């Protein structure tokens, strides 16, 4: 392959082929090429079958530029020997590439793309085909299974919904059958109501209607089921009226509902007495005024809170705290006593009308709110005393007036982080230290529960 | 000069009959073809060099239709005349 042969190598092979002596073969080969030359000289063209055509081509003189000097030079006209191989020889030489044919390219065809295509076709065809097929198959299977699954899910859901729809109705029908019998209804009605409430309010309305229709067909009391269900939940007066109006309600049911309502009231509301309420209000008002008075006294005196107090002042403060505690205790006791009395009264006189009760309830609530507000106001006014109850930061801009929360020191937590978490600023580390008696902020024991101080600007 | 004229002139120069010369020439051409089929290079002193070259694939455009065509790569037999032959051709055979 691609060796450089000379005439001697050629004649060696030629001698073997023609069974000629080497010398004769060499002379014949030399004559052969010499005759080509002679033919060219004579007729400017030699055509040899099986080899090709040798031609002499005249090349005219032309101007050119010397690539070294850049000067214009003229190439003289000359004759050039051209060789065109014979078709047989040409095809024989081109045998390795004979399978290729000229391809007409489309306008959109890109050469790089073609190369990529050739690559993909030749090298990747065998590798890629099977995985893609598998993937496609699996995908189709997945989608089919998904659709099946979704269909199954929908079916189960519909079944479930149908069941849930059916079950409550059945239960309600059962309950409506049972309601005329007092001993059973006591136990079973609440459970029915619970199921109805849990099943959802929107559906419950529809179901109530359905159950009503069913119950009407059966011929049992209609309003019994929803009212019994609503009884423990809301126990409102209008529904009581409705109960009273129904002609088919039996006495036992009425008694039972009344008991339920009573219980609910005993738990939920405290029946009032006008005289007691006024008394309580007056007491709380007195406490509030007392607190305001003390607060005014604190705020008016020279502000050296962080500094030490004199012994007399400390004594006075202690006395005041004791007084306040006693007052609070008394107020609590009075309240409890009032509650007890009211409860007793309620038990004795359950015949109070519902409307009166609700009105009284509202009044009671307002009084309680007022009392609570008064207490909170009093607490606010009492802050200066709380200041003394907590350690303070010397020269600090804020006062520690309470405990905001607690934080257990776990790995990763720092005072800085805690400060940022509670105060949105890292400047409050000293207060946390002061609150928890931390002398070195860099050394905080692990799992130590830190009290986060509630701060107030001085 | 066609093949027949060439063989007759060769026969007269070699002292063989044209038929024998044709047979010998065919043997010689078969040997040449076998050489070129193996992509060998043949250098004939005082005449020139026969060389098999590979021409790369290329895209050609038909100027009339604007159609582009991809020409496949191919092996071609090239002949380069030796300076001696060129010189003789220039001088019209005078050596």
């Amino acid at each position: 392959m691609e060796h450089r042969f000379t005439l001697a190598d050629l004649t060696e092979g030629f001698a073997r082929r023609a069974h000629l002596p080497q010398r004769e073969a060499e002379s014949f080969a030399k004559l052969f090429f010499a005759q080509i030359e002679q033919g060219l000289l004579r007729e400017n063209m030699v055509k040899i079958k099986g080899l090709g055509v040798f031609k002499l081509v005249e090349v005219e003189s032309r101007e050119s530029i010397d690539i070294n000097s850049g000067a214009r030079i003229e190439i003289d006209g000359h004759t050039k020997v051209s060789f065109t191989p014979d078709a047989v020889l040409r095809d024989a030489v081109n045998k390795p590439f004979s399978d290729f044919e000229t391809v007409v390219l489309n306008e959109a065809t890109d050469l790089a793309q073609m190369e990529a295509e050739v690559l993909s076709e030749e090298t990747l065809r065998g590798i890629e085909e099977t995985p893609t097929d598998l993937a496609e198959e699996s995908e189709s299977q997945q989608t089919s299974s998904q659709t099946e699954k979704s269909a199954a899910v929908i079916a189960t859901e519909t079944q479930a919904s149908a069941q849930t729809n059916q079950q409550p109705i059945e239960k309600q029908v059962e309950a409506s059958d049972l309601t005329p019998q007092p001993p059973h209804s006591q136990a079973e009605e609440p459970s029915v109501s619970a199921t109805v409430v849990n099943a959802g309010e929107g559906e419950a309305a529809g179901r109530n209607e359905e159950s009503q229709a069913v119950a009407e067909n059966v011929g049992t009391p209609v309003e019994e089921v929803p009212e019994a269900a609503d009884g423990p939940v809301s126990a409102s007066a209008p529904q009581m009226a409705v109960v009273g109006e129904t002609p088919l309600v039996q006495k036992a049911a009425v008694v039972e509902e009344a008991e339920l309502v009573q219980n609910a009231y005993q738990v939920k509301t405290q029946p009032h007495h006008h005289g007691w309420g006024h008394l309580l209000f007056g007491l709380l008002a007195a406490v509030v005024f007392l607190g305001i008075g003390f607060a005014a006294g604190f705020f008016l005196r020279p502000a050296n809170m962080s500094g030490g107090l004199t012994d007399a002042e400390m004594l006075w403060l202690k006395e005041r705290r004791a007084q306040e505690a006693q007052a609070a205790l008394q107020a609590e006791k009075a309240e409890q006593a009032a509650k007890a009395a009211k409860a007793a009264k309620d038990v004795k006189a359950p015949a109070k009308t519902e409307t009166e009760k609700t009105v009284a309830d509202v009044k009671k609530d307002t009084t309680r709110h007022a009392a609570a507000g008064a207490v909170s106001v009093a607490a606010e006014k009492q802050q200066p005393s709380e200041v003394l109850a907590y350690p303070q930061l010397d020269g600090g801009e804020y006062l520690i007036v309470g405990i905001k929360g607690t934080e257990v020191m776990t790995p990763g937590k720092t005072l800085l982080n805690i400060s940022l978490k509670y105060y949105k600023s890292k400047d409050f580390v000293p207060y946390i230290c002061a609150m928890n008696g931390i002398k070195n902020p860099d050394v905080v024991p692990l799992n130590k529960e830190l009290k986060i101080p509630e701060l107030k600007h001085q | 000069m066609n093949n027949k004229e060439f063989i007759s002139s060769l026969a007269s120069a070699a002292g063989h009959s044209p038929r024998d010369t044709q047979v010998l020439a065919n043997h010689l051409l078969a040997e040449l073809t076998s050489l070129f089929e193996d992509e060998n290079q043949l250098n004939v002193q005082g005449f020139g060099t026969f060389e098999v070259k590979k021409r790369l694939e290329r895209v050609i455009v038909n100027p009339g239709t604007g159609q582009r065509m991809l020409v496949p790569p191919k092996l071609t037999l090239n002949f380069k005349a030796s300076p001696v032959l060129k010189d003789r051709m220039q001088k019209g055979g005078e050596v």
Side-chain angles (χ1 to χ4, degrees):
Chain A
M1 294 282 271
E2 292 190 33
H3 292 295
R4 291 174 73 97
F5 284 82
T6 59
L7 191 63
D9 301 321
L10 178 70
T11 51
E12 201 177 314
F14 167 58
R16 277 203 304 272
R17 266 178 200 274
H19 305 288
L20 280 173
Q22 178 73 22
R23 192 183 284 177
E24 282 190 36
E26 195 173 340
S27 65
F28 184 79
K30 277 183 179 174
L31 269 174
F32 184 84
F33 290 108
Q35 204 57 45
I36 293 169
E37 193 182 324
Q38 290 295 319
L40 279 173
L41 281 171
R42 266 185 270 166
E43 301 186 23
N44 293 340
M45 186 199 82
V46 178
K47 190 173 184 179
I48 302 164
K49 202 174 178 181
L51 183 66
V53 181
F54 291 91
K55 257 189 207 172
L56 285 180
V57 180
E58 292 288 331
V59 179
E60 291 179 5
S61 63
R62 65 181 197 275
E63 279 190 353
S64 184
I65 295 168
D66 192 339
I67 50 170
N68 293 324
S69 61
R72 280 173 172 271
I73 53 169
E74 189 174 342
I75 297 173
D76 296 328
H78 59 281
T79 52
K80 192 174 81 174
V81 180
S82 86
F83 170 71
T84 308
D86 192 51
V88 177
L89 182 61
R90 189 183 64 201
D91 291 346
V93 169
N94 196 37
K95 207 171 185 176
F97 291 162
S98 58
D99 292 337
F100 292 124
E101 286 178 5
T102 305
V103 182
V104 178
L105 298 174
N106 294 324
E107 284 184 16
T109 313
D110 189 29
L111 270 176
Q113 198 182 338
M114 279 183 70
E115 283 172 8
E117 278 175 11
V118 167
L119 266 176
S120 64
E121 279 174 7
E122 286 178 358
T123 60
L124 303 175
R125 187 182 291 161
I127 303 163
E128 279 186 354
E129 270 179 358
T130 43
T132 48
D133 288 346
L134 282 171
E136 282 171 6
E137 281 176 7
S138 62
E139 276 178 355
S140 64
Q141 282 177 356
Q142 276 180 357
T143 48
S144 64
S145 63
Q146 277 175 358
T147 49
E148 283 172 11
K149 277 182 186 173
S150 61
V153 165
I154 288 164
T156 50
E157 278 177 0
T158 49
Q159 280 179 359
S161 63
Q163 282 176 356
T164 49
N165 283 336
Q166 284 169 1
Q167 280 174 352
I169 292 164
E170 286 170 5
K171 279 186 182 174
Q172 281 179 344
V173 170
E174 283 174 11
S176 63
D177 287 335
L178 288 168
T179 40
Q181 301 163 352
H184 289 284
S185 63
Q186 269 190 345
E188 289 190 7
E189 274 180 2
S191 66
V192 171
S193 69
T195 54
V196 169
V197 169
N198 287 336
E201 291 177 358
E203 290 179 0
R207 268 188 241 119
N208 283 341
E209 286 174 7
E210 285 176 273
S211 67
Q212 280 176 6
V214 171
E216 276 174 358
N217 288 336
V218 173
T220 48
V222 175
E223 287 83 4
E224 199 73 355
V225 174
E227 277 162 15
D230 290 334
V233 179
S234 64
S236 57
Q239 282 186 346
M240 287 291 286
V242 171
V243 170
E245 282 169 12
T246 50
L248 288 170
V249 170
Q250 294 183 0
K251 279 186 179 180
V254 171
V255 168
E256 176 209 322
E257 288 199 358
E259 279 175 4
L260 276 170
V261 168
Q262 268 186 17
N263 289 336
Y265 269 81
Q266 279 174 2
V267 173
K268 279 190 157 187
T269 69
Q270 282 96 27
H272 85 294
H273 194 275
H274 287 279
W276 279 103
H278 282 298
L279 202 105
L280 200 74
F281 187 73
L283 205 79
L284 286 170
V287 170
V288 167
F289 282 123
L290 224 99
I292 290 168
F294 279 125
F298 262 104
F299 279 115
L300 288 171
R301 59 189 279 281
N304 54 345
M305 296 311 294
S306 56
L309 291 169
T310 60
D311 289 348
E313 279 175 332
M314 287 293 282
L315 270 172
W316 177 76
L317 271 169
K318 277 179 183 171
E319 278 175 10
R320 218 207 77 212
R321 264 186 234 160
Q323 279 177 2
E324 278 175 3
Q326 274 186 354
L329 269 172
Q330 280 176 357
E332 271 184 20
K333 277 180 184 173
E335 224 174 51
Q336 282 175 356
K339 280 179 193 173
K342 283 161 207 163
K345 264 194 172 183
D346 243 39
V347 171
K348 282 173 189 171
K352 283 229 165 199
T353 57
E354 300 301 317
T355 48
E356 275 183 31
K357 277 185 179 178
T358 49
V359 168
D361 193 31
V362 169
K363 278 190 176 177
K364 169 70 193 160
D365 278 350
T366 51
T367 51
R368 286 180 85 196
H369 278 304
V375 168
S376 68
V377 167
E380 278 175 20
K381 300 297 176 190
Q382 284 163 7
Q383 268 178 6
S385 67
E386 285 166 359
V387 166
L388 296 170
Y390 300 107
Q392 299 295 333
L393 184 71
D394 286 339
E397 204 176 334
Y398 292 84
L399 289 172
I400 297 173
V401 295
I403 297 168
K404 208 176 193 178
T406 55
E407 192 84 13
V408 179
M409 287 301 285
T410 51
K413 277 189 187 172
T414 62
L415 293 175
L416 212 71
N417 288 345
I418 294 166
S419 174
L420 279 168
K421 179 182 168 187
Y422 282 91
Y423 306 108
K424 313 275 188 248
S425 167
K426 59 189 177 183
D427 300 331
F428 293 90
V429 172
Y431 293 93
I432 299 170
C433 289
M435 185 72 184
N436 296 281
I438 297 165
K439 285 170 184 171
N440 185 358
D442 296 329
V443 182
V444 182
L446 201 65
N447 297 326
K448 181 183 171 73
E449 197 180 63
L450 295 179
K451 293 169 189 162
I452 311 301
E454 179 83 51
L455 299 177
K456 191 188 176 189
H457 201 274
Q458 276 187 358
Chain B
M1 183 184 273
N2 55 22
N3 188 60
K4 195 178 175 182
E5 291 166 355
F6 174 74
I7 293 296
S8 63
S9 70
L10 183 62
S12 64
H16 296 290
S17 68
R19 184 176 288 183
D20 292 343
T21 309
Q22 182 67 60
V23 170
L24 287 172
N26 286 346
H27 282 301
L28 184 65
L29 289 170
E31 183 64 25
L32 279 170
T33 307
S34 71
L35 280 179
F36 297 142
E37 275 176 356
D38 294 336
E39 299 179 34
N40 290 316
Q41 189 178 343
L42 175 66
N43 183 26
V44 182
Q45 207 160 16
F47 183 74
T49 307
F50 292 95
E51 192 181 3
V52 176
K53 282 186 175 174
K54 186 187 175 184
R55 297 193 70 183
L56 292 172
E57 59 181 356
R58 66 192 198 279
V59 176
I60 58 166
V61 182
N62 186 336
T65 59
Q67 197 174 38
R68 295 194 305 161
M69 298 168 95
L70 181 71
V71 179
K74 58 184 165 188
L75 294 168
T76 56
L77 179 64
N78 289 63
F79 170 72
K80 187 179 181 185
S82 72
V84 180
L85 183 65
K86 276 185 187 173
D87 203 32
R88 269 188 237 152
M89 291 300 128
Q90 285 294 108
K91 292 170 181 172
E94 294 170 15
V95 183

